Amino acid sequence: MGKSIHDIITMAINPPKTFEEYLDSYAKEVGEIIVSDIPRGSHPDMNLYLYDPLLAYSENGGKRHRPLICFAACRAVGGDMQRATTAAAAIEHFHTAALIHDDVADEALLRRGIPCLHLREGIGLALNAGDLALSLVNNTVLYDKHLDDALKIRVMIELEKMTRHTIEGQALDIGWARDGRYDITVEDYLVMATHKTAHYSGAVPLAIGAIVGGGTESEIETLRNYGLDTGLAFQIQDDLLNLIGSEESTQKDFRNDITEGKRTLVVVHALLHSPHAARLIEILSSKEKDPTILEEAVAIMQASDSIDYARNYAENLTSIAKNRLIDMVKPSDARDLLVSMADWFVNRLK
């Protein structure tokens, strides 16, 4: 794999002070480590139809925040980051699979600034590539020579639970839209978003990093809970970006959450508090793509203070979570990066 993650991060001349700097500094190198374990096929056409599309998709990665917080959690408990490499890669492979499958389910057009994989390769091959990425999740850890068998099993159990939680959340998200459900409460949304996003975007990367880093059970659970709160805030902010960010900032279909009838926290709040809830339901049910109508839906949400409600909810979550992390995890530059992570999660609109 070339240079190790330990060398990449610990040998920096000017270590990053903020989480955004951390991502900018190491996303490229971490991405190279992760894609290096995508295998090759035994027949040239296997590469053409399977391995090459997955490799190209994985190389066009995002900020790589999930593997990078796994490494930060490992460091925060005094562990060797090299031991977290396969776990971090496994989580990123899962993220790849989830995005590929999610885009098919949502009939999305754009991902990371380019057409979705199912539009470039066809639905069948895209789903197959997503399945391959899923197969890499546990296999990546299974063959890690740095971890003993007991630790491998514990990490793989975490990954299995993460996968199931995410699929449960996705089922709620898709099912509510399919069945035209508009009786969703704030509590319903929080369950869905926590399962769909918070476990794999926050809780499990941090918990696994602490586990392989040799953290105490208290440290592991503190980091897991921090990831649940900040991961939920991340999803809320992602929903806000889709509504009031920009096509450039989202790197995917702008306002497609409205087109897909997503039950976001903003939508749930607006349906409960807006005098124009019936009109909002009409728009959400029509698979509308007209920018003027999408803007009308956003205006309804703004008028009911639903956008401010969601933003404040995310900010309160992260504020409480940061204080708890500071109280429970000993001081270090890695802990400071994780504290900064919470701010980055909720400030991506600013």
Side-chain angles (χ1 to χ4, degrees):
M1 284 190 178
K3 190 182 292 185
S4 73
I5 188 64
H6 175 82
D7 293 338
I8 290 169
I9 291 181
T10 60
M11 295 177 66
I13 297 174
N14 296 307
K17 302 298 184 184
T18 68
F19 188 70
E20 186 170 10
E21 291 175 1
Y22 179 55
L23 299 182
D24 291 343
S25 298
Y26 303 123
K28 181 176 182 295
E29 288 86 352
V30 167
E32 290 171 354
I33 290 172
I34 288 165
V35 302
S36 69
D37 66 10
I38 295 177
R40 306 300 293 162
S42 59
H43 186 285
D45 285 349
M46 291 180 188
N47 294 326
L48 176 64
Y49 297 128
L50 178 61
Y51 294 100
D52 288 345
L54 180 62
L55 180 63
Y57 189 96
S58 298
E59 286 176 336
N60 183 35
K63 294 286 190 178
R64 309 288 189 189
H65 95 253
R66 294 163 186 85
L68 279 165
I69 64 174
C70 183
F71 291 128
C74 184
R75 288 180 62 207
V77 299
D80 176 3
M81 285 184 295
Q82 190 62 28
R83 289 167 56 81
T85 302
T86 57
I91 294 164
E92 190 70 358
H93 290 318
F94 176 80
H95 179 51
T96 294
L99 293 184
I100 293 172
H101 290 161
D102 196 34
D103 286 342
V104 173
D106 292 342
E107 300 178 2
L109 302 177
L110 198 66
R111 174 66 69 179
R112 293 170 177 164
I114 63 175
C116 293
L117 187 63
H118 66 273
L119 298 179
R120 304 199 310 271
E121 301 291 338
I123 291 176
L125 288 177
L127 289 174
N128 210 40
D131 291 343
L132 174 62
L134 273 180
S135 78
L136 296 176
V137 175
N138 274 333
N139 278 358
T140 300
V141 175
L142 184 62
Y143 296 106
D144 189 340
K145 297 178 181 178
H146 295 93
L147 305 181
D148 62 45
D149 289 347
L151 196 52
K152 288 179 186 178
I153 291 172
R154 183 168 183 184
V155 170
M156 291 166 67
I157 289 172
E158 289 282 345
L159 293 170
E160 184 278 326
K161 290 179 180 178
M162 175 194 77
T163 301
R164 177 161 45 86
H165 284 314
T166 307
I167 293 169
E168 289 169 344
Q170 182 75 336
L172 293 177
D173 196 25
I174 295 172
W176 290 339
R178 187 200 70 178
D179 291 347
R181 293 279 301 279
Y182 293 102
D183 58 342
I184 308 305
T185 66
V186 168
E187 290 72 22
D188 293 329
Y189 167 84
L190 296 176
V191 170
M192 182 276 291
T194 297
H195 280 66
K196 180 182 176 181
T197 301
H199 283 282
Y200 96 89
S201 291
V204 174
L206 293 178
I208 287 181
I211 288 168
V212 298
T216 66
E217 292 304 315
S218 175
E219 289 173 325
I220 292 166
E221 293 312 309
T222 294
L223 285 162
R224 186 194 307 279
N225 290 330
Y226 183 69
L228 283 173
D229 289 341
T230 55
L232 177 56
F234 179 85
Q235 179 61 61
I236 294 169
Q237 196 72 350
D238 213 44
D239 296 341
L240 287 168
L241 272 172
N242 190 268
L243 293 176
I244 58 173
S246 67
E247 292 192 69
E248 292 73 25
S249 68
T250 60
Q251 290 287 289
K252 54 187 177 182
D253 302 322
F254 186 47
R255 291 180 172 170
N256 66 320
D257 283 355
I258 301 173
T259 305
E260 295 165 15
K262 294 285 187 181
R263 276 58 168 174
T264 64
L265 184 59
V266 182
V267 165
V268 171
H269 184 272
L271 292 177
L272 291 171
H273 295 90
S274 174
H276 305 291
R279 174 56 179 159
L280 182 56
I281 289 174
E282 181 182 349
I283 295 171
L284 292 167
S285 303
S286 64
K287 294 189 178 295
E288 186 61 65
K289 295 183 178 180
D290 183 337
T292 303
I293 304 300
L294 299 180
E295 179 64 38
E296 180 188 354
V298 172
I300 291 172
M301 298 179 213
Q302 287 176 321
S304 59
D305 293 326
S306 300
I307 288 174
D308 286 341
Y309 170 81
R311 182 187 288 113
N312 291 336
Y313 196 102
E315 290 177 349
N316 288 337
L317 266 178
T318 55
S319 177
I320 294 169
K322 284 193 300 182
N323 290 333
R324 190 183 305 123
L325 184 72
I326 291 169
D327 288 341
M328 299 295 291
V329 176
K330 58 183 177 291
S332 69
D333 62 334
R335 189 198 70 176
D336 291 344
L337 285 174
L338 292 175
V339 171
S340 176
M341 175 190 83
D343 295 326
W344 181 78
F345 275 6
V346 298
N347 288 330
R348 289 175 292 150
L349 280 173
K350 299 176 182 178

